[in-house]
Amino acid sequence: KGTVVTGVTYDKNVAKFAILGVPDTPGIAHKIFSALGDARINVDVIVQGAKSNEVTDILFTVAQTDIKKSRTILEKICLEIGATGILCEEDVAKVSIVGAGMASNPGVAGRMFGALAKVGVNIEAVSTSEIKISCLIKQDSTEKAVKAIHEEFGLGK
Amino acid sequence: KGTVVTGVTYDKNVAKFAILGVPDTPGIAHKIFSALGDARINVDVIVQGAKSNEVTDILFTVAQTDIKKSRTILEKICLEIGATGILCEEDVAKVSIVGAGMASNPGVAGRMFGALAKVGVNIEAVSTSEIKISCLIKQDSTEKAVKAIHEEFGLGK
Ligand SMILES: C[C@@H](O)[C@H](N)C(=O)O
Ligand SMILES: C[C@@H](O)[C@H](N)C(=O)O
C-alpha cells in the first residue's frame, strides 16, 4: 500500500451549517458566500451535492466562535433567496487524511470510510481534493476516528 | 486582494455520478468506495452533504472512460444498500481555483461563485479544501467559466 497517506488531522472547532432548499440557479452560492466573506467570516469546508426538483442544500463549516454572527447573516440571506431553512450543528469535528499520492491510488477513500465504519463512526459529510479527504463526524467520536484511521494506514501514533 | 489565488484548472474528462437515497449509517460510504477501489476505478471528487430523514445522496466523479464499469458496480451496490437510484451525467466539467492563502482569506469562495454567476454558469456541485475550491459545471461552459475566473482574480491568460 506504500506511503500514499502521510497524515491524519482533526479540528474540533467546527460548526456545521446547512442551508436547505436553495434554488439551484446561478448567483445563489455567490449571495451566500460573499455575505459571509464581507463579514470576514472564514468558511472552511463547502459541500454542495446532488439536487432534486431544482433545489439543493449547501453545507459548510465555520469556526464555533463565528456561529452567532453567521446565523444572523444567513437568516437574512435565506429570506432573500427563498431557502426553506437553516440547520446548525455544533457537536461536529472534521477528520482528514492527507497525502500527495492519493489522486492516483484508487481505494484510499474506501479504506478511510472503512476505518470509520469499523468503529461505528457515522460520516455526516464528505469533501475531497486530490491530496486530502475530509469527513465531518460527531465531535465525541474524534479520538476513536483518528485512532482507527491511523491503524488503517499504518501511521505512527 | 493580493495573490491569494494562484491558478485556475479545469478537467473535461469528468462524469458525475449521484447515488440517491442512501441510508445515513456507518459502513455505507465504505461499501460504495471500496467496491470502486477494488475495481481500480479512480474517484476524483466525493461530495456528501446535508441529509434528510436518515437518507442522503453521495455524489462523485470518475473519468469518462470509467462510466460503464462504474455503472455495473454501482447497480449491484445500490441493491445491496437499498439506495433509491443512480444518476450519471457525462456533460460536466470540473473547474478549480488553487492558492495557498485561501484558507485565511474570507470571501475567496464568494468571489469565485460571483465570477461564474456573472456569466450565467450554474454551479452543480462544490467541494473544497484549504488550498483548492472545485465546482462542477456544464461542460460547454468551461471556457466561459475559466475566463471569468481569470478576470475576477486578475490572473494572466
Ligand atoms: C445552488 C447554487 O450553487 C447555484 N447552483 C449557483 O450557481 O449559485
Ligand atoms: C452516507 C454514508 O456516508 C454513511 N453516513 C456512512 O457513514 O457510511
Side-chain angles (χ1 to χ4, degrees):
Chain A
K1 294 284 184 191
T3 55
V4 175
V5 174
T6 50
V8 182
T9 65
Y10 69 88
D11 182 357
K12 290 190 181 182
N13 176 20
V14 173
K16 182 175 89 175
F17 273 101
I19 315 294
L20 305 174
V22 301
D24 189 17
T25 53
I28 296 293
H30 169 63
K31 263 207 184 5
I32 296 170
F33 294 102
S34 57
L36 292 166
D38 293 347
R40 316 303 294 157
I41 291 174
N42 244 322
V43 173
D44 182 23
V45 176
I46 302 174
V47 170
Q48 177 198 322
K51 73 162 192 258
S52 61
N53 306 331
E54 302 321 313
V55 289
T56 186
D57 303 324
I58 295 184
L59 183 149
F60 58 90
T61 62
V62 300
Q64 295 201 334
T65 43
D66 282 331
I67 290 176
K68 241 200 176 115
K69 218 162 112 185
S70 301
R71 194 191 282 286
T72 316
I73 291 165
L74 293 170
E75 278 164 3
K76 189 167 142 283
I77 294 283
C78 274
L79 285 174
E80 278 174 40
I81 63 177
T84 54
I86 304 174
L87 283 180
C88 179
E89 285 180 43
E90 299 182 36
D91 63 342
V92 293
K94 180 176 79 166
V95 177
S96 309
I97 57 173
V98 286
M102 288 189 340
S104 49
N105 266 277
V108 173
R111 286 176 64 199
M112 178 189 191
F113 301 155
L116 296 175
K118 263 186 219 150
V119 291
V121 171
N122 193 47
I123 301 164
E124 304 204 345
V126 176
S127 182
T128 63
S129 76
E130 281 73 7
I131 59 168
K132 185 169 186 164
I133 300 177
S134 294
C135 291
L136 294 184
I137 61 173
K138 281 275 172 276
Q139 212 171 66
D140 58 9
S141 300
T142 308
E143 280 68 27
K144 190 166 58 168
V146 170
K147 188 163 174 291
I149 296 170
H150 268 293
E151 277 162 18
E152 170 63 31
F153 292 103
L155 300 166
K157 279 285 158 276
Chain B
K1 294 286 184 193
T3 56
V4 175
V5 174
T6 49
V8 182
T9 66
Y10 69 89
D11 181 358
K12 290 188 180 181
N13 177 20
V14 172
K16 183 176 87 176
F17 273 100
I19 315 291
L20 305 174
V22 300
D24 189 15
T25 52
I28 294 293
H30 169 63
K31 262 203 198 320
I32 296 170
F33 293 102
S34 57
L36 292 167
D38 292 347
R40 316 302 293 158
I41 291 173
N42 245 321
V43 174
D44 182 22
V45 177
I46 300 173
V47 169
Q48 176 197 323
K51 74 163 193 256
S52 61
N53 308 328
E54 304 319 313
V55 288
T56 186
D57 302 326
I58 296 183
L59 182 150
F60 59 90
T61 62
V62 299
Q64 294 202 334
T65 43
D66 282 331
I67 291 175
K68 240 184 157 147
K69 216 161 114 185
S70 300
R71 195 190 281 285
T72 316
I73 291 166
L74 293 169
E75 278 164 3
K76 187 168 144 282
I77 292 288
C78 274
L79 285 174
E80 276 176 32
I81 62 178
T84 54
I86 304 173
L87 285 181
C88 179
E89 283 179 44
E90 300 183 34
D91 63 343
V92 294
K94 180 174 80 166
V95 177
S96 309
I97 56 172
V98 287
M102 284 184 350
S104 49
N105 266 276
V108 173
R111 286 176 63 197
M112 179 190 190
F113 302 154
L116 296 175
K118 261 186 223 150
V119 289
V121 172
N122 193 48
I123 301 165
E124 304 205 345
V126 176
S127 183
T128 64
S129 75
E130 280 75 7
I131 59 167
K132 185 169 186 164
I133 300 177
S134 295
C135 291
L136 295 183
I137 60 173
K138 281 274 173 277
Q139 212 170 66
D140 58 10
S141 301
T142 307
E143 279 68 30
K144 189 165 63 169
V146 170
K147 186 163 175 293
I149 296 171
H150 268 293
E151 279 162 17
E152 171 63 28
F153 292 103
L155 300 167
K157 279 285 156 273

mmCIF file of all heavy atoms in Angstrom, chain A residues 22-30 48 56 58, chain B residues 121-124 126, ligand 1:
data_model
loop_
_atom_site.group_PDB
_atom_site.id
_atom_site.type_symbol
_atom_site.label_atom_id
_atom_site.label_comp_id
_atom_site.label_asym_id
_atom_site.label_seq_id
_atom_site.Cartn_x
_atom_site.Cartn_y
_atom_site.Cartn_z
ATOM 1 N N VAL A 22 -32.228 25.590 -1.324
ATOM 2 C CA VAL A 22 -31.872 26.800 -2.072
ATOM 3 C C VAL A 22 -32.147 26.574 -3.558
ATOM 4 O O VAL A 22 -31.943 25.470 -4.057
ATOM 5 C CB VAL A 22 -30.392 27.218 -1.889
ATOM 6 C CG1 VAL A 22 -30.057 27.477 -0.444
ATOM 7 C CG2 VAL A 22 -29.447 26.236 -2.499
ATOM 8 N N PRO A 23 -32.609 27.611 -4.258
ATOM 9 C CA PRO A 23 -32.828 27.452 -5.706
ATOM 10 C C PRO A 23 -31.497 27.144 -6.392
ATOM 11 O O PRO A 23 -30.474 27.745 -6.064
ATOM 12 C CB PRO A 23 -33.356 28.822 -6.139
ATOM 13 C CG PRO A 23 -33.707 29.558 -4.897
ATOM 14 C CD PRO A 23 -32.947 28.938 -3.764
ATOM 15 N N ASP A 24 -31.529 26.208 -7.310
ATOM 16 C CA ASP A 24 -30.295 25.812 -7.987
ATOM 17 C C ASP A 24 -30.094 26.653 -9.242
ATOM 18 O O ASP A 24 -30.162 26.155 -10.372
ATOM 19 C CB ASP A 24 -30.357 24.325 -8.325
ATOM 20 C CG ASP A 24 -29.015 23.821 -8.822
ATOM 21 O OD1 ASP A 24 -28.009 24.512 -8.603
ATOM 22 O OD2 ASP A 24 -28.986 22.741 -9.433
ATOM 23 N N THR A 25 -29.881 27.965 -9.034
ATOM 24 C CA THR A 25 -29.715 28.875 -10.184
ATOM 25 C C THR A 25 -28.475 29.733 -9.972
ATOM 26 O O THR A 25 -28.054 29.957 -8.831
ATOM 27 C CB THR A 25 -30.936 29.812 -10.297
ATOM 28 O OG1 THR A 25 -31.120 30.451 -9.021
ATOM 29 C CG2 THR A 25 -32.190 29.087 -10.690
ATOM 30 N N PRO A 26 -27.876 30.207 -11.063
ATOM 31 C CA PRO A 26 -26.640 30.995 -10.931
ATOM 32 C C PRO A 26 -26.820 32.195 -9.995
ATOM 33 O O PRO A 26 -27.867 32.838 -10.001
ATOM 34 C CB PRO A 26 -26.377 31.459 -12.368
ATOM 35 C CG PRO A 26 -27.047 30.465 -13.235
ATOM 36 C CD PRO A 26 -28.273 30.030 -12.470
ATOM 37 N N GLY A 27 -25.799 32.436 -9.178
ATOM 38 C CA GLY A 27 -25.819 33.600 -8.311
ATOM 39 C C GLY A 27 -26.170 33.297 -6.867
ATOM 40 O O GLY A 27 -25.857 34.072 -5.965
ATOM 41 N N ILE A 28 -26.768 32.159 -6.618
ATOM 42 C CA ILE A 28 -27.195 31.814 -5.250
ATOM 43 C C ILE A 28 -26.001 31.562 -4.336
ATOM 44 O O ILE A 28 -25.902 32.125 -3.250
ATOM 45 C CB ILE A 28 -28.123 30.573 -5.284
ATOM 46 C CG1 ILE A 28 -29.405 30.884 -6.028
ATOM 47 C CG2 ILE A 28 -28.416 30.071 -3.862
ATOM 48 C CD1 ILE A 28 -30.325 31.875 -5.361
ATOM 49 N N ALA A 29 -25.074 30.753 -4.782
ATOM 50 C CA ALA A 29 -23.890 30.454 -3.956
ATOM 51 C C ALA A 29 -23.100 31.744 -3.712
ATOM 52 O O ALA A 29 -22.586 31.974 -2.617
ATOM 53 C CB ALA A 29 -23.032 29.401 -4.657
ATOM 54 N N HIS A 30 -23.069 32.592 -4.749
ATOM 55 C CA HIS A 30 -22.362 33.869 -4.585
ATOM 56 C C HIS A 30 -23.000 34.711 -3.488
ATOM 57 O O HIS A 30 -22.309 35.284 -2.633
ATOM 58 C CB HIS A 30 -22.372 34.631 -5.920
ATOM 59 C CG HIS A 30 -21.900 36.054 -5.799
ATOM 60 N ND1 HIS A 30 -20.618 36.354 -5.405
ATOM 61 C CD2 HIS A 30 -22.530 37.224 -5.995
ATOM 62 C CE1 HIS A 30 -20.474 37.678 -5.368
ATOM 63 N NE2 HIS A 30 -21.621 38.227 -5.703
ATOM 64 N N GLN A 48 -21.652 21.085 -1.760
ATOM 65 C CA GLN A 48 -22.965 21.112 -2.405
ATOM 66 C C GLN A 48 -23.025 19.888 -3.286
ATOM 67 O O GLN A 48 -22.170 19.705 -4.129
ATOM 68 C CB GLN A 48 -23.129 22.367 -3.241
ATOM 69 C CG GLN A 48 -24.452 22.409 -3.995
ATOM 70 C CD GLN A 48 -24.434 23.397 -5.141
ATOM 71 O OE1 GLN A 48 -23.845 24.465 -5.030
ATOM 72 N NE2 GLN A 48 -25.060 23.045 -6.241
ATOM 73 N N THR A 56 -31.451 22.609 -3.951
ATOM 74 C CA THR A 56 -30.370 21.795 -3.388
ATOM 75 C C THR A 56 -30.048 22.325 -1.998
ATOM 76 O O THR A 56 -30.599 23.337 -1.571
ATOM 77 C CB THR A 56 -29.136 21.831 -4.314
ATOM 78 O OG1 THR A 56 -28.160 20.934 -3.813
ATOM 79 C CG2 THR A 56 -28.531 23.214 -4.376
ATOM 80 N N ILE A 58 -26.890 23.479 0.644
ATOM 81 C CA ILE A 58 -25.468 23.827 0.685
ATOM 82 C C ILE A 58 -25.003 23.729 2.125
ATOM 83 O O ILE A 58 -25.616 24.320 3.028
ATOM 84 C CB ILE A 58 -25.220 25.261 0.143
ATOM 85 C CG1 ILE A 58 -25.580 25.334 -1.345
ATOM 86 C CG2 ILE A 58 -23.765 25.653 0.354
ATOM 87 C CD1 ILE A 58 -25.272 26.676 -1.987
ATOM 88 N N VAL B 121 -23.178 30.921 -15.385
ATOM 89 C CA VAL B 121 -22.838 29.498 -15.243
ATOM 90 C C VAL B 121 -23.403 28.971 -13.923
ATOM 91 O O VAL B 121 -23.136 29.525 -12.865
ATOM 92 C CB VAL B 121 -21.307 29.305 -15.280
ATOM 93 C CG1 VAL B 121 -20.929 27.876 -14.933
ATOM 94 C CG2 VAL B 121 -20.762 29.701 -16.647
ATOM 95 N N ASN B 122 -24.178 27.919 -14.002
ATOM 96 C CA ASN B 122 -24.764 27.326 -12.794
ATOM 97 C C ASN B 122 -23.782 26.353 -12.144
ATOM 98 O O ASN B 122 -23.136 25.557 -12.825
ATOM 99 C CB ASN B 122 -26.053 26.581 -13.131
ATOM 100 C CG ASN B 122 -26.821 26.251 -11.863
ATOM 101 O OD1 ASN B 122 -27.019 27.100 -10.996
ATOM 102 N ND2 ASN B 122 -27.234 24.999 -11.731
ATOM 103 N N ILE B 123 -23.670 26.439 -10.837
ATOM 104 C CA ILE B 123 -22.790 25.558 -10.075
ATOM 105 C C ILE B 123 -23.573 24.305 -9.697
ATOM 106 O O ILE B 123 -24.563 24.387 -8.966
ATOM 107 C CB ILE B 123 -22.271 26.278 -8.805
ATOM 108 C CG1 ILE B 123 -21.508 27.548 -9.192
ATOM 109 C CG2 ILE B 123 -21.404 25.344 -7.975
ATOM 110 C CD1 ILE B 123 -21.278 28.487 -8.027
ATOM 111 N N GLU B 124 -23.147 23.142 -10.179
ATOM 112 C CA GLU B 124 -23.885 21.898 -9.939
ATOM 113 C C GLU B 124 -23.395 21.169 -8.691
ATOM 114 O O GLU B 124 -24.112 20.352 -8.125
ATOM 115 C CB GLU B 124 -23.747 20.988 -11.145
ATOM 116 C CG GLU B 124 -24.199 21.672 -12.422
ATOM 117 C CD GLU B 124 -24.650 20.686 -13.476
ATOM 118 O OE1 GLU B 124 -24.356 19.487 -13.340
ATOM 119 O OE2 GLU B 124 -25.311 21.134 -14.420
ATOM 120 N N VAL B 126 -20.094 21.560 -5.357
ATOM 121 C CA VAL B 126 -18.931 22.265 -4.817
ATOM 122 C C VAL B 126 -18.192 21.341 -3.860
ATOM 123 O O VAL B 126 -18.822 20.625 -3.083
ATOM 124 C CB VAL B 126 -19.359 23.531 -4.028
ATOM 125 C CG1 VAL B 126 -18.147 24.205 -3.377
ATOM 126 C CG2 VAL B 126 -20.120 24.498 -4.896
HETATM 127 C C1 LIG C 1 -27.008 26.228 -5.550
HETATM 128 C C2 LIG C 1 -26.032 27.180 -6.147
HETATM 129 O O1 LIG C 1 -24.732 26.662 -6.161
HETATM 130 C C3 LIG C 1 -26.394 27.586 -7.561
HETATM 131 N N1 LIG C 1 -26.414 26.461 -8.445
HETATM 132 C C4 LIG C 1 -25.416 28.631 -8.041
HETATM 133 O O2 LIG C 1 -24.874 28.526 -9.082
HETATM 134 O O3 LIG C 1 -25.146 29.564 -7.356
#
